[in-house]
Amino acid sequence: MAQLYAACRPAGSLVVRHIQMNSQLQNQLAGIFQAQSAAFFDGINTEIDFTGDWKPDADEILITRGLSEAQALFAEASQNAIALTPLDVNNFQNESIKALFTMIGSGPNRRLLLQSFGPQQILSSKLSFLHDGNVFRKLTEPAFTLGTQLLATVDTAGDVRFKSFSLLRRVFDLGSFYRQATDLELSTFCGHSSLAIADVAAFIAGADEGIRKAVHTVVKVDVLGNHPVTDIEHKAAAIGLSLNINGGRIEVPLDRKGAKAFFSFLLNKVYRGPINNQLFITNSNRPLN
């Protein structure tokens, strides 16, 4: 029979709690999750390796491979359920539940099916009514509802298939995908020999989340190390993007809009539309082939 588990973060670390149920519920559980799994993969024909910035179309699903917390979750659920710490029913609202999940399949075909879990699913925190003896009474026992759709699946390798990064990051630590440059890292970046920044302090003060993420990625993939200023200048000119070059250095715009356009260009996110010949900035990109 299927078992139900809760993925919790009571103190920052992801832990698994076993949700104890009677046999009638256990018999129904697998069917509920399997139906949601079928709906989750319905119409999907393409898997895309997630890099941090791609939003899938209706026929696509994202995958991040070998996620350590997903592997740990799978290992916990592979144990005998009674060996796991049960969910503390008397402290239900403080368990910090992030997801509900079950395991289906056998051997190498085992999978975890995860639902996102939010405070709105805790019925005991609302004015809820329970039918009892032909009348309704106020629900006083801890109670919650299952979700109506899957958030993600996890296979034996810890590969996670999902559609919404913003929802998945509520469950798993995905910091490596949205790392931002710190003030110190921005200061170091501003000193790069390919760049000229008139007011470093103003640039750092005005750097929002988008600019900091872009700078981190530019440094991580070493765009400026792999492409000299002349190369960057020529490629910008080829699509009609104006860059100011001063003494062999690229002047980084201090205004936020200009800075974002420049960093988007360095990350292959500025392109000229082939139909209307207009310059565009995209929030996500992936190779065509």
Coordinates of all heavy atoms in Angstrom, one line a residue, residues 21-104:
M21 N -1.6 6.9 8.2 CA -3.0 6.8 7.7 C -3.6 5.4 7.9 O -2.9 4.5 8.1 CB -3.1 7.2 6.2 CG -2.4 8.5 5.8 SD -2.5 8.7 4.0 CE -1.5 7.3 3.5
N22 N -4.9 5.4 7.9 CA -5.6 4.1 8.0 C -5.5 3.4 6.6 O -5.2 4.0 5.6 CB -7.0 4.2 8.5 CG -7.9 5.0 7.5 OD1 -7.7 5.0 6.3 ND2 -8.9 5.6 8.1
S23 N -5.8 2.1 6.5 CA -5.7 1.3 5.3 C -6.6 1.8 4.2 O -6.2 1.7 3.0 CB -5.9 -0.2 5.6 OG -7.2 -0.3 6.1
Q24 N -7.7 2.3 4.5 CA -8.6 2.8 3.5 C -8.0 4.0 2.7 O -8.0 4.0 1.5 CB -9.9 3.3 4.1 CG -11.0 3.7 3.1 CD -12.3 4.2 3.7 OE1 -12.4 4.2 4.9 NE2 -13.3 4.5 2.9
L25 N -7.4 4.9 3.4 CA -6.7 6.0 2.8 C -5.5 5.6 2.0 O -5.2 6.0 0.9 CB -6.3 7.1 3.8 CG -7.4 8.0 4.3 CD1 -6.9 8.9 5.4 CD2 -7.9 8.9 3.1
Q26 N -4.7 4.6 2.5 CA -3.6 4.1 1.8 C -4.0 3.5 0.5 O -3.3 3.7 -0.5 CB -2.8 3.1 2.7 CG -2.0 3.7 3.8 CD -1.3 2.6 4.6 OE1 -2.0 1.8 5.3 NE2 0.0 2.6 4.6
N27 N -5.1 2.8 0.5 CA -5.5 2.2 -0.8 C -5.9 3.2 -1.8 O -5.8 2.9 -3.0 CB -6.7 1.2 -0.5 CG -6.3 0.0 0.3 OD1 -5.2 -0.5 0.1 ND2 -7.3 -0.6 1.1
Q28 N -6.4 4.3 -1.4 CA -6.8 5.4 -2.3 C -5.7 6.3 -2.8 O -5.7 6.8 -3.9 CB -7.9 6.3 -1.7 CG -9.2 5.6 -1.4 CD -10.2 6.5 -0.7 OE1 -9.8 7.4 0.0 NE2 -11.5 6.2 -0.8
L29 N -4.6 6.3 -2.0 CA -3.6 7.3 -2.2 C -2.8 7.1 -3.5 O -2.7 8.1 -4.3 CB -2.5 7.2 -1.0 CG -1.5 8.3 -1.0 CD1 -2.1 9.6 -0.7 CD2 -0.4 8.0 0.1
A30 N -2.4 5.9 -3.8 CA -1.7 5.6 -5.1 C -2.5 6.1 -6.3 O -1.9 6.7 -7.2 CB -1.3 4.2 -5.2
G31 N -3.8 5.7 -6.3 CA -4.6 6.1 -7.4 C -4.7 7.6 -7.6 O -4.7 8.1 -8.8
I32 N -4.8 8.3 -6.6 CA -4.9 9.8 -6.6 C -3.6 10.4 -7.2 O -3.6 11.2 -8.2 CB -5.1 10.4 -5.2 CG1 -6.5 10.0 -4.7 CG2 -5.0 11.9 -5.3 CD1 -6.8 10.4 -3.3
F33 N -2.5 9.9 -6.7 CA -1.2 10.5 -7.2 C -0.9 10.0 -8.6 O -0.3 10.8 -9.5 CB 0.0 10.1 -6.3 CG 0.2 11.0 -5.1 CD1 -0.6 10.9 -4.0 CD2 1.1 12.0 -5.2 CE1 -0.4 11.7 -2.9 CE2 1.3 12.9 -4.1 CZ 0.5 12.7 -3.0
Q34 N -1.2 8.8 -9.0 CA -1.0 8.3 -10.3 C -1.8 9.1 -11.4 O -1.4 9.3 -12.5 CB -1.2 6.8 -10.4 CG -0.2 6.0 -9.7 CD -0.5 4.5 -9.7 OE1 -1.6 4.1 -9.8 NE2 0.5 3.7 -9.5
A35 N -3.0 9.4 -11.0 CA -3.9 10.2 -11.9 C -3.3 11.6 -12.1 O -3.3 12.1 -13.2 CB -5.3 10.3 -11.3
Q36 N -2.7 12.2 -11.0 CA -2.1 13.5 -11.2 C -0.8 13.4 -12.0 O -0.5 14.3 -12.7 CB -1.8 14.0 -9.8 CG -3.1 14.4 -9.0 CD -2.8 15.0 -7.7 OE1 -1.6 15.3 -7.3 NE2 -3.8 15.3 -6.9
S37 N -0.1 12.2 -11.9 CA 1.1 12.0 -12.7 C 0.8 12.0 -14.1 O 1.5 12.5 -15.0 CB 1.8 10.7 -12.2 OG 3.0 10.5 -13.0
A38 N -0.3 11.2 -14.5 CA -0.7 11.2 -15.9 C -1.1 12.5 -16.4 O -0.7 12.9 -17.6 CB -1.9 10.2 -16.0
A39 N -1.7 13.4 -15.6 CA -2.1 14.7 -16.1 C -0.8 15.6 -16.2 O -0.7 16.4 -17.1 CB -3.1 15.3 -15.1
F40 N 0.1 15.4 -15.3 CA 1.4 16.1 -15.3 C 2.2 15.9 -16.6 O 2.7 16.9 -17.1 CB 2.2 15.7 -14.1 CG 3.4 16.5 -13.8 CD1 3.4 17.8 -13.4 CD2 4.7 15.9 -14.0 CE1 4.6 18.5 -13.1 CE2 5.9 16.6 -13.8 CZ 5.8 17.9 -13.3
F41 N 2.2 14.7 -17.1 CA 3.0 14.4 -18.3 C 2.2 14.4 -19.5 O 2.7 14.1 -20.6 CB 3.7 13.0 -18.1 CG 4.8 13.0 -17.1 CD1 4.7 12.5 -15.8 CD2 6.0 13.6 -17.5 CE1 5.7 12.6 -14.9 CE2 7.1 13.6 -16.6 CZ 7.0 13.1 -15.3
D42 N 0.9 14.6 -19.4 CA 0.0 14.6 -20.6 C 0.5 15.7 -21.6 O 0.6 16.9 -21.3 CB -1.4 14.9 -20.2 CG -2.4 14.8 -21.4 OD1 -2.2 13.9 -22.2 OD2 -3.3 15.6 -21.5
G43 N 0.7 15.3 -22.8 CA 1.1 16.2 -23.9 C 2.6 16.6 -23.9 O 3.0 17.4 -24.7
I44 N 3.4 16.1 -22.9 CA 4.8 16.4 -22.9 C 5.6 15.6 -23.9 O 5.5 14.3 -23.9 CB 5.4 16.2 -21.4 CG1 4.6 17.1 -20.4 CG2 6.9 16.5 -21.4 CD1 4.8 18.6 -20.7
N45 N 6.4 16.2 -24.7 CA 7.2 15.4 -25.7 C 8.7 15.9 -25.7 O 9.5 15.3 -26.4 CB 6.6 15.5 -27.1 CG 6.4 17.0 -27.5 OD1 7.3 17.8 -27.3 ND2 5.3 17.2 -28.2
T46 N 9.0 16.9 -24.8 CA 10.4 17.3 -24.8 C 10.9 17.6 -23.4 O 10.1 18.2 -22.6 CB 10.5 18.6 -25.6 OG1 10.1 18.4 -26.9 CG2 12.0 19.1 -25.6
E47 N 12.0 17.1 -23.0 CA 12.7 17.4 -21.7 C 13.8 18.4 -22.0 O 14.6 18.2 -22.9 CB 13.2 16.1 -21.1 CG 12.2 15.2 -20.5 CD 12.7 14.0 -19.7 OE1 14.0 13.9 -19.7 OE2 12.0 13.3 -19.1
I48 N 13.9 19.4 -21.1 CA 14.9 20.4 -21.3 C 15.7 20.5 -20.0 O 15.2 20.7 -18.9 CB 14.2 21.8 -21.5 CG1 13.4 21.8 -22.8 CG2 15.3 22.9 -21.7 CD1 12.6 23.0 -23.0
D49 N 17.0 20.4 -20.1 CA 17.9 20.5 -19.0 C 17.8 22.0 -18.5 O 18.1 22.9 -19.2 CB 19.3 20.2 -19.3 CG 19.5 18.7 -19.4 OD1 19.5 18.0 -18.3 OD2 19.7 18.1 -20.5
F50 N 17.5 22.1 -17.2 CA 17.3 23.4 -16.6 C 18.6 24.1 -16.4 O 19.5 23.6 -15.8 CB 16.5 23.3 -15.3 CG 16.1 24.6 -14.7 CD1 15.3 25.5 -15.4 CD2 16.6 25.0 -13.5 CE1 15.0 26.8 -14.8 CE2 16.3 26.2 -12.9 CZ 15.5 27.1 -13.6
T51 N 18.7 25.4 -16.8 CA 19.9 26.2 -16.6 C 19.7 27.4 -15.8 O 20.6 28.2 -15.5 CB 20.5 26.6 -18.0 OG1 19.6 27.4 -18.7 CG2 21.0 25.4 -18.8
G52 N 18.4 27.6 -15.4 CA 18.1 28.7 -14.5 C 17.3 29.8 -15.1 O 16.8 30.7 -14.4
D53 N 17.1 29.7 -16.4 CA 16.3 30.8 -17.1 C 15.4 30.4 -18.2 O 14.9 31.3 -18.9 CB 17.3 31.9 -17.6 CG 18.2 31.3 -18.8 OD1 18.0 30.1 -19.1 OD2 19.0 32.0 -19.3
W54 N 15.0 29.2 -18.3 CA 14.1 28.7 -19.3 C 12.7 28.4 -18.8 O 12.6 27.7 -17.8 CB 14.7 27.5 -20.1 CG 13.8 27.1 -21.2 CD1 13.0 26.0 -21.3 CD2 13.5 27.8 -22.4 NE1 12.2 26.0 -22.4 CE2 12.5 27.1 -23.1 CE3 13.9 29.0 -22.9 CZ2 12.0 27.5 -24.4 CZ3 13.4 29.5 -24.1 CH2 12.5 28.7 -24.9
K55 N 11.7 29.0 -19.4 CA 10.3 28.8 -19.1 C 9.8 27.8 -20.1 O 9.7 28.1 -21.3 CB 9.6 30.1 -19.0 CG 10.1 31.0 -18.0 CD 9.4 32.4 -18.0 CE 10.0 33.3 -16.9 NZ 9.3 34.6 -16.9
P56 N 9.3 26.7 -19.7 CA 8.8 25.7 -20.7 C 7.5 26.0 -21.3 O 6.7 26.7 -20.8 CB 8.7 24.4 -19.8 CG 8.3 24.9 -18.5 CD 9.1 26.2 -18.3
D57 N 7.4 25.5 -22.6 CA 6.1 25.6 -23.3 C 5.2 24.5 -22.8 O 5.6 23.6 -22.0 CB 6.3 25.5 -24.8 CG 7.0 26.7 -25.4 OD1 6.9 27.8 -24.8 OD2 7.7 26.6 -26.4
A58 N 4.0 24.4 -23.3 CA 3.0 23.5 -22.8 C 3.4 22.0 -23.1 O 3.0 21.1 -22.3 CB 1.6 23.7 -23.5
D59 N 4.3 21.8 -24.1 CA 4.7 20.4 -24.4 C 6.1 20.1 -23.9 O 6.7 19.1 -24.3 CB 4.6 20.2 -25.9 CG 5.5 21.1 -26.7 OD1 6.0 22.1 -26.1 OD2 5.8 20.8 -27.9
E60 N 6.6 20.9 -23.0 CA 7.9 20.8 -22.5 C 7.9 20.6 -21.0 O 7.1 21.1 -20.3 CB 8.8 22.0 -22.9 CG 8.9 22.2 -24.4 CD 9.6 23.5 -24.7 OE1 9.5 24.4 -23.9 OE2 10.2 23.6 -25.8
I61 N 9.0 19.9 -20.5 CA 9.2 19.8 -19.1 C 10.6 20.0 -18.8 O 11.5 19.7 -19.6 CB 8.7 18.4 -18.6 CG1 8.5 18.4 -17.1 CG2 9.7 17.3 -19.0 CD1 7.6 17.3 -16.6
L62 N 10.9 20.6 -17.6 CA 12.3 20.9 -17.2 C 12.8 19.8 -16.4 O 12.1 19.1 -15.7 CB 12.3 22.2 -16.4 CG 11.8 23.5 -17.1 CD1 11.8 24.6 -16.2 CD2 12.7 23.8 -18.3
I63 N 14.1 19.6 -16.4 CA 14.8 18.5 -15.6 C 16.1 19.1 -15.0 O 16.9 19.7 -15.7 CB 15.0 17.2 -16.4 CG1 15.7 16.2 -15.6 CG2 15.8 17.5 -17.7 CD1 15.7 14.8 -16.2
T64 N 16.3 18.9 -13.8 CA 17.6 19.1 -13.1 C 18.1 17.8 -12.6 O 17.4 17.1 -11.9 CB 17.5 20.2 -12.0 OG1 18.8 20.4 -11.4 CG2 16.5 19.8 -10.9
R65 N 19.3 17.5 -12.9 CA 19.8 16.1 -12.7 C 20.7 16.0 -11.4 O 21.5 16.9 -11.1 CB 20.6 15.7 -13.9 CG 19.9 15.8 -15.2 CD 20.7 15.3 -16.4 NE 19.9 15.5 -17.6 CZ 19.0 14.7 -18.1 NH1 18.7 13.6 -17.5 NH2 18.4 15.0 -19.3
G66 N 20.5 14.9 -10.7 CA 21.3 14.6 -9.5 C 21.2 15.6 -8.4 O 22.2 15.8 -7.8
L67 N 20.0 16.2 -8.2 CA 19.9 17.2 -7.1 C 20.1 16.5 -5.8 O 19.4 15.5 -5.5 CB 18.5 17.8 -7.2 CG 18.3 19.0 -6.4 CD1 19.2 20.2 -6.8 CD2 16.8 19.4 -6.4
S68 N 21.0 16.9 -5.0 CA 21.4 16.2 -3.7 C 20.2 16.1 -2.8 O 20.0 15.1 -2.2 CB 22.6 17.0 -3.1 OG 22.2 18.3 -2.8
E69 N 19.4 17.2 -2.6 CA 18.3 17.1 -1.7 C 17.2 16.1 -2.2 O 16.6 15.4 -1.4 CB 17.7 18.4 -1.4 CG 18.5 19.3 -0.5 CD 17.8 20.5 0.0 OE1 16.8 21.0 -0.7 OE2 18.1 21.0 1.0
A70 N 17.1 16.0 -3.5 CA 16.1 15.1 -4.1 C 16.6 13.6 -3.9 O 15.8 12.7 -3.6 CB 16.0 15.3 -5.6
Q71 N 17.9 13.4 -4.0 CA 18.5 12.1 -3.7 C 18.3 11.7 -2.2 O 17.9 10.6 -1.9 CB 20.0 12.1 -4.0 CG 20.3 12.2 -5.5 CD 21.8 12.4 -5.8 OE1 22.5 13.0 -5.0 NE2 22.2 12.0 -7.0
A72 N 18.4 12.7 -1.3 CA 18.2 12.4 0.1 C 16.8 12.1 0.4 O 16.4 11.2 1.2 CB 18.7 13.6 0.9
L73 N 15.9 12.8 -0.3 CA 14.4 12.6 -0.1 C 14.1 11.2 -0.6 O 13.3 10.4 0.1 CB 13.7 13.6 -1.0 CG 12.3 14.0 -0.5 CD1 12.4 14.8 0.8 CD2 11.6 14.9 -1.5
F74 N 14.7 10.7 -1.7 CA 14.4 9.4 -2.3 C 14.9 8.3 -1.3 O 14.3 7.3 -1.1 CB 15.1 9.3 -3.6 CG 14.5 8.1 -4.4 CD1 13.6 8.3 -5.4 CD2 15.0 6.8 -4.2 CE1 13.0 7.3 -6.1 CE2 14.5 5.8 -5.0 CZ 13.5 6.0 -5.9
A75 N 16.1 8.6 -0.8 CA 16.7 7.6 0.2 C 15.8 7.4 1.4 O 15.6 6.3 1.9 CB 18.1 8.0 0.5
E76 N 15.3 8.5 1.9 CA 14.4 8.5 3.1 C 13.2 7.7 2.8 O 12.7 6.8 3.6 CB 14.1 9.9 3.6 CG 15.2 10.6 4.2 CD 15.5 10.1 5.6 OE1 14.8 10.4 6.5 OE2 16.6 9.4 5.8
A77 N 12.6 8.0 1.7 CA 11.3 7.3 1.3 C 11.5 5.8 1.0 O 10.5 5.1 0.9 CB 10.6 8.0 0.1
S78 N 12.8 5.4 0.7 CA 13.0 4.0 0.4 C 13.1 3.1 1.6 O 13.2 1.9 1.5 CB 14.3 3.9 -0.4 OG 14.2 4.6 -1.7
Q79 N 13.2 3.8 2.8 CA 13.2 3.0 4.0 C 11.8 2.5 4.3 O 10.8 2.8 3.7 CB 13.7 3.9 5.2 CG 15.0 4.6 5.0 CD 15.3 5.4 6.3 OE1 15.2 5.0 7.4 NE2 15.8 6.6 6.0
N80 N 11.8 1.6 5.3 CA 10.5 1.2 5.9 C 9.9 2.4 6.5 O 10.5 3.1 7.4 CB 10.8 0.1 7.0 CG 9.5 -0.6 7.4 OD1 8.4 0.1 7.5 ND2 9.5 -1.8 7.8
A81 N 8.7 2.7 6.1 CA 8.0 3.9 6.6 C 7.9 4.0 8.1 O 8.0 5.1 8.6 CB 6.6 4.0 6.0
I82 N 7.8 2.9 8.8 CA 7.6 3.0 10.2 C 8.9 3.3 10.9 O 9.0 3.7 12.1 CB 7.1 1.6 10.8 CG1 8.1 0.5 10.6 CG2 5.7 1.3 10.3 CD1 7.7 -0.8 11.2
A83 N 10.1 3.3 10.2 CA 11.3 3.7 10.7 C 11.5 5.2 10.7 O 12.4 5.7 11.4 CB 12.5 3.0 9.9
L84 N 10.7 5.9 10.0 CA 10.8 7.3 9.9 C 10.0 8.0 11.0 O 9.1 7.5 11.6 CB 10.2 7.8 8.5 CG 10.9 7.4 7.3 CD1 10.2 7.8 6.1 CD2 12.3 8.0 7.3
T85 N 10.5 9.2 11.3 CA 9.8 10.0 12.4 C 8.4 10.4 11.9 O 8.3 10.9 10.8 CB 10.6 11.3 12.7 OG1 11.9 10.9 13.1 CG2 9.9 12.1 13.8
P86 N 7.3 10.1 12.6 CA 6.0 10.5 12.1 C 5.8 12.0 12.3 O 6.4 12.6 13.1 CB 5.1 9.7 13.1 CG 5.9 9.5 14.3 CD 7.3 9.3 13.9
L87 N 4.9 12.5 11.4 CA 4.5 13.9 11.5 C 3.9 14.1 12.9 O 3.0 13.4 13.3 CB 3.5 14.2 10.4 CG 3.2 15.7 10.2 CD1 4.4 16.4 9.5 CD2 2.0 15.8 9.3
D88 N 4.3 15.2 13.5 CA 3.7 15.6 14.8 C 2.4 16.2 14.6 O 2.3 17.4 14.3 CB 4.7 16.5 15.5 CG 4.3 16.8 17.0 OD1 3.2 16.4 17.4 OD2 5.0 17.5 17.7
V89 N 1.3 15.5 14.8 CA 0.0 16.0 14.6 C -0.4 17.1 15.5 O -1.0 18.1 15.2 CB -1.0 14.8 14.7 CG1 -2.5 15.3 14.6 CG2 -0.8 13.7 13.7
N90 N 0.1 17.0 16.8 CA -0.2 18.1 17.7 C 0.6 19.4 17.5 O 0.3 20.4 18.1 CB 0.1 17.6 19.2 CG -0.8 16.4 19.6 OD1 -1.9 16.4 19.3 ND2 -0.2 15.4 20.2
N91 N 1.6 19.3 16.6 CA 2.3 20.5 16.2 C 2.3 20.7 14.7 O 3.2 21.2 14.1 CB 3.8 20.3 16.7 CG 4.5 21.6 16.7 OD1 4.0 22.7 16.9 ND2 5.8 21.5 16.4
F92 N 1.2 20.3 14.1 CA 1.0 20.2 12.7 C 1.4 21.5 12.0 O 2.1 21.6 11.0 CB -0.4 19.8 12.4 CG -0.6 19.5 10.9 CD1 -0.3 18.3 10.4 CD2 -1.2 20.5 10.1 CE1 -0.5 18.0 9.0 CE2 -1.4 20.2 8.7 CZ -1.0 19.0 8.2
Q93 N 0.9 22.6 12.5 CA 1.1 23.9 11.8 C 2.5 24.4 11.9 O 2.9 25.3 11.1 CB 0.1 25.0 12.4 CG -1.4 24.6 12.1 CD -2.3 25.8 12.5 OE1 -1.8 26.8 13.0 NE2 -3.6 25.6 12.3
N94 N 3.3 23.9 12.8 CA 4.7 24.3 12.9 C 5.7 23.4 12.3 O 6.9 23.5 12.6 CB 5.0 24.6 14.4 CG 4.1 25.6 15.0 OD1 3.9 26.7 14.4 ND2 3.6 25.4 16.2
E95 N 5.2 22.4 11.6 CA 6.1 21.4 11.0 C 6.8 21.9 9.8 O 7.7 21.3 9.2 CB 5.4 20.1 10.7 CG 5.0 19.2 11.9 CD 6.2 18.3 12.3 OE1 7.4 18.8 12.3 OE2 6.0 17.2 12.6
S96 N 6.4 23.1 9.3 CA 6.9 23.7 8.1 C 6.9 22.7 6.9 O 8.0 22.5 6.2 CB 8.4 24.2 8.4 OG 8.9 25.0 7.3
I97 N 5.8 22.2 6.6 CA 5.6 21.3 5.4 C 5.7 22.1 4.1 O 5.0 23.0 3.9 CB 4.3 20.5 5.5 CG1 4.1 19.8 6.8 CG2 4.1 19.6 4.3 CD1 2.8 19.2 7.1
K98 N 6.6 21.6 3.2 CA 6.7 22.2 1.9 C 6.2 21.4 0.8 O 5.8 21.9 -0.3 CB 8.2 22.5 1.7 CG 8.9 23.3 2.7 CD 8.3 24.7 2.8 CE 9.0 25.5 3.9 NZ 8.3 26.8 4.1
A99 N 6.1 20.1 1.0 CA 5.5 19.2 0.0 C 5.0 17.9 0.6 O 5.5 17.5 1.7 CB 6.6 18.9 -1.1
L100 N 4.0 17.3 -0.1 CA 3.5 16.0 0.3 C 3.9 15.1 -0.9 O 3.9 15.5 -2.1 CB 2.0 16.0 0.4 CG 1.4 16.9 1.5 CD1 -0.1 16.8 1.4 CD2 1.9 16.5 2.9
F101 N 4.3 13.9 -0.6 CA 4.7 13.0 -1.7 C 4.5 11.5 -1.3 O 4.4 11.2 -0.2 CB 6.2 13.2 -2.1 CG 7.2 12.9 -1.0 CD1 7.9 11.7 -1.1 CD2 7.5 13.8 0.0 CE1 8.8 11.3 -0.1 CE2 8.5 13.5 0.9 CZ 9.1 12.2 0.8
T102 N 4.5 10.7 -2.4 CA 4.4 9.3 -2.2 C 5.4 8.6 -3.2 O 5.9 9.3 -4.1 CB 3.0 8.8 -2.4 OG1 2.9 7.4 -2.0 CG2 2.6 8.8 -3.9
M103 N 5.7 7.3 -3.0 CA 6.5 6.6 -4.0 C 5.7 5.6 -4.7 O 4.9 4.9 -4.1 CB 7.7 5.9 -3.2 CG 8.6 5.1 -4.1 SD 9.9 4.2 -3.2 CE 11.0 5.6 -2.9
I104 N 5.9 5.5 -6.0 CA 5.2 4.5 -6.8 C 6.3 3.7 -7.6 O 7.4 4.1 -7.7 CB 4.2 5.1 -7.8 CG1 4.9 6.0 -8.8 CG2 3.1 5.9 -7.1 CD1 4.0 6.4 -10.0

